[in-house]
Amino acid sequence: MVVVTLQREKCIGCNYCVELAPGQFQMSKKDGKSVLLHSKDKKGFYTIKSHDNTIYDPCVEAQKACPVKIITTKMI
């Protein structure tokens, strides 16, 4: 299972996550910040848990590229 978390409040809207993992991230037209698709919010941390292991590599690349380090990706 892949667990991806986004700390959305700290997003600066650079769009790297969307470019590297467009199936998981999208930019909000309202505030220009990243949205983790199909995620659940828990105190500002947006999280998805997926059994689709193919999302792991793109999400890790998005995590590495994020200049403010607000994305975490784990395989559990």
Side-chain angles (χ1 to χ4, degrees):
M1 178 181 289
V2 179
V3 180
V4 183
T5 303
L6 171 70
Q7 197 175 355
R8 191 169 186 279
E9 283 184 22
K10 295 183 178 181
C11 179
I12 61 171
C14 72
N15 203 45
Y16 289 143
C17 57
V18 177
E19 291 175 19
L20 294 167
Q24 279 61 57
F25 296 95
Q26 189 175 54
M27 297 308 286
S28 169
K29 291 182 180 168
K30 284 185 178 180
D31 62 8
K33 293 184 177 189
S34 179
V35 175
L36 181 58
L37 300 174
H38 312 294
S39 63
K40 294 185 180 177
D41 177 21
K42 189 170 184 183
K43 297 184 180 180
F45 290 86
Y46 293 78
T47 304
I48 59 169
K49 294 179 181 177
S50 176
H51 292 287
D52 180 4
N53 292 343
T54 63
I55 71 167
Y56 180 77
D57 288 336
C59 289
V60 167
E61 291 304 313
Q63 175 182 325
K64 289 178 185 176
C66 181
V68 287
K69 306 297 181 205
I70 58 170
I71 301 170
T72 58
T73 307
K74 294 187 273 187
M75 183 85 76
I76 58 171

